[in-house]
């Protein structure tokens, strides 16, 4: 059977393009570039959860429906998480009146007392919930900290960031989740 | 067969395209440990060599913050082989892009941990396997990864202690003359 060489070239070009895109996307994530949520997650309703806060209250994500939410997975042993926290404190103050809420989820083995001590030292002004592996899994697996999700007022995911980024990246995503800005990057 | 290969290749490409959640691969590895010969009843250090993958760091055994997770080696309990002091190297004070004003005490690249092993006199001579875990928590320049346990194992060869019976000068008949 004779094969058209043009088809083979076409197939090879598609494979090469997909490989290039895959490698490029992976490198970008390692480099910590801005990362809107993948096509699988963006626009989907953020998985609801019911977690205990440091104060012992049960808190659901759906409790914040109507607000834009920054959902930050972090841990006391995570250096980059520590850098973000003062920014989050400021951003909560700045955008809170517009219907914005930061929620921290501690993915930590430390005791509640240690987590509370840490957040007190950092001056945290938003709720801290005690994370569970299952909640991380429902968000596609939280394998790296910090991991931050941005949820709009309808409870839909608009962006996700792995690792530490500049403050301006967070501001852009917050505006986007508040319905004030354009998507930071139309990746998909 | 070619079609199956083509489908597999396309699936692989598609996976590479959609897989964007970073995960931690083998950040710390252990070099094969030398088999150290130790005499019954005597102690000897066993050097264990580890390597932190390029671009990552792990906390030293004595990190500078109470909240950081120290690198620590735990050796499983053995019956007649006593595990003594574990000696860790000093870490390097380094600052990172995520905390330029803060120095962290970390291990990068190669580092060595010495484990003091002392077989009791009752241990029969021969080779013994000792097992444990190295607990570490790795970060790169922008993110941290959950604590991990690296399985550690090494062999020691136990040699018989030299015989001393009947040669004690204090008990020699000449000593009582």
């Amino acid at each position: 059977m004779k094969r058209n060489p043009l088809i083979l070239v076409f197939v090879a070009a598609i494979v090469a393009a997909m490989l290039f895109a895959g490698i490029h996307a992976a490198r970008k994530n390692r480099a910590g570039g801005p990362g809107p949520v993948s096509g699988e997650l963006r626009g989907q309703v953020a998985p609801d959860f019911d977690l205990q806060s440091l104060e012992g209250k049960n808190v659901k994500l759906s409790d914040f429906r109507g607000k834009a939410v920054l959902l930050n997975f972090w841990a006391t042993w995570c250096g980059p998480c520590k850098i973000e926290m003062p920014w989050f404190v400021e951003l909560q103050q700045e955008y809170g009146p517009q219907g914005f809420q930061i929620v921290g989820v501690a993915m930590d083995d430390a005791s509640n007392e240690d987590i509370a001590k840490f957040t007190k030292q950092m001056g945290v002004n938003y709720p801290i919930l005690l994370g569970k592996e299952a909640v991380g899994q429902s968000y596609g697996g939280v394998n790296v900290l910090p991991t931050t999700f941005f949820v709009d007022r309808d409870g839909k995911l608009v962006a996700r960031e792995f690792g530490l980024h500049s403050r301006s990246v967070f501001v852009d995503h917050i505006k986007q989740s508040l319905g004030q800005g354009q998507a930071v990057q139309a990746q998909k | 067969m070619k079609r199956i290969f083509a489908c597999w290749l396309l699936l692989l490409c598609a996976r590479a395209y959609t897989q964007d959640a970073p995960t931690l691969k083998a950040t710390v590895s252990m070099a094969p440990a030398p088999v150290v010969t130790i005499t019954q009843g005597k102690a000897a250090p066993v050097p264990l060599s580890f390597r932190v993958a390029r671009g990552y760091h792990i906390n030293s055994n004595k990190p500078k913050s109470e909240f950081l997770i120290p690198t620590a080696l735990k050796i499983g309990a053995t019956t007649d082989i006593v595990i003594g002091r574990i000696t860790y190297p000093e870490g390097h004070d380094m600052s990172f892009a995520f905390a330029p004003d803060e120095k962290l005490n970390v291990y990068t690249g190669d580092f060595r941990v010495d484990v003091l092993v002392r077989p009791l006199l009752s241990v029969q001579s021969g080779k013994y396997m000792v097992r444990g875990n190295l607990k570490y928590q790795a970060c790169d320049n922008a993110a941290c990864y959950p604590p991990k346990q690296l399985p550690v194992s090494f062999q020691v060869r136990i040699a018989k202690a030299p015989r001393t019976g009947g040669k004690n000068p204090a008990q020699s008949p000449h000593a009582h003359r």
Side-chain angles (χ1 to χ4, degrees):
Chain A
M1 191 174 73
K2 197 175 176 183
R3 301 217 167 147
N4 188 340
L6 274 177
I7 292 175
L8 286 175
V9 170
F10 180 67
V11 170
I14 288 176
V15 168
M18 290 176 84
L19 270 173
F20 174 78
I23 291 164
H24 178 70
R27 278 189 181 160
K28 199 169 150 190
N29 269 315
R30 293 298 310 128
V37 287
S38 69
E40 288 173 26
L41 292 173
R42 184 197 278 188
Q44 285 194 8
V45 174
D48 201 6
F49 53 73
D50 189 344
L51 292 172
Q52 204 171 56
S53 73
L54 277 177
E55 294 77 29
K57 281 190 205 167
N58 276 57
V59 176
K60 291 180 182 175
L61 180 66
S62 52
D63 294 343
F64 302 103
R65 192 59 56 87
K67 287 187 173 187
V69 174
L70 182 158
L71 188 62
N72 174 239
F73 290 87
W74 68 283
T76 52
W77 43 259
C78 165
C81 305
K82 207 173 152 185
I83 303 305
E84 292 179 335
M85 282 183 153
W87 300 345
F88 290 161
V89 169
E90 290 171 11
L91 293 168
Q92 181 60 56
Q93 283 172 345
E94 190 176 343
Y95 292 95
Q98 297 173 41
F100 171 67
Q101 182 62 56
I102 296 177
V103 178
V105 180
M107 302 299 282
D108 227 301
D109 290 334
S111 67
N112 292 9
E113 290 73 26
D114 281 347
I115 296 170
K117 185 179 168 188
F118 184 90
T119 52
K120 194 178 174 188
Q121 277 178 15
M122 300 302 296
V124 167
N125 58 353
Y126 49 86
I128 297 292
L129 311 181
L130 305 171
K132 287 180 183 166
E133 194 65 36
V135 173
Q137 288 302 325
S138 72
Y139 279 80
V142 177
N143 303 315
V144 55
L145 295 176
T147 292
T148 305
F149 292 86
F150 298 82
V151 183
D152 70 13
R153 294 180 192 272
D154 298 325
K156 289 181 181 168
L157 289 162
V158 295
R160 171 182 62 189
E161 293 294 350
F162 296 118
L164 181 67
H165 294 273
S166 67
R167 191 178 185 277
S168 63
V169 169
F170 291 114
V171 171
D172 286 343
H173 287 322
I174 290 168
K175 286 180 176 171
Q176 189 187 345
S177 57
L178 283 166
Q180 296 174 358
Q182 297 296 311
V184 172
Q185 189 185 7
Q187 189 170 296
K188 292 196 180 175
Chain B
M1 188 64 193
K2 282 181 182 172
R3 281 185 184 172
I4 292 171
F5 177 74
C7 288
W8 174 81
L9 196 62
L10 279 170
L11 280 171
L12 195 72
C13 294
R15 191 166 182 270
Y17 187 69
T18 55
Q19 189 178 33
D20 53 2
T23 52
L24 179 66
K25 289 169 188 152
T27 314
V28 181
S29 56
M30 181 186 162
V35 181
V36 174
T37 301
I38 310 170
T39 306
Q40 292 167 328
K42 305 272 184 185
V46 177
L48 303 178
S49 298
F50 298 95
R51 174 168 290 175
V52 182
R54 201 172 170 180
Y56 294 95
H57 63 268
I58 63 174
N59 296 313
S60 74
N61 180 248
K62 289 188 172 64
K64 293 194 170 187
S65 162
E66 60 177 312
F67 294 110
L68 297 178
I69 296 172
T71 295
L73 179 66
K74 277 198 176 169
I75 300 294
T78 52
T79 48
D80 293 337
I81 298 175
V82 178
I83 302 299
R85 185 186 169 87
I86 296 175
T87 309
Y88 298 90
E90 284 190 14
H92 312 289
D93 278 349
M94 290 180 81
S95 57
F96 294 89
F98 58 76
D101 301 329
E102 192 179 347
K103 295 251 180 188
L104 301 179
N105 195 256
V106 299
Y107 298 143
T108 55
D110 295 345
F111 69 97
R112 199 179 95 177
V113 177
D114 286 339
V115 181
L116 198 66
V117 177
R118 185 171 65 84
L120 299 181
L121 277 169
S122 57
V123 181
Q124 291 199 341
S125 58
K127 269 188 180 178
Y128 290 82
M129 181 69 85
V130 181
R131 295 177 202 278
N133 277 298
L134 183 81
K135 186 179 181 182
Y136 66 92
Q137 189 271 304
C139 296
D140 58 26
N141 284 334
C144 288
Y145 301 85
K148 283 216 157 205
Q149 305 251 11
L150 175 73
V152 167
S153 62
F154 59 89
Q155 280 190 322
V156 287
R157 183 181 289 115
I158 311 297
K160 279 187 179 173
R163 288 187 177 180
T164 55
K167 299 271 181 185
N168 188 340
Q171 292 177 351
S172 163
H174 302 288
H176 297 287
R177 274 188 190 171

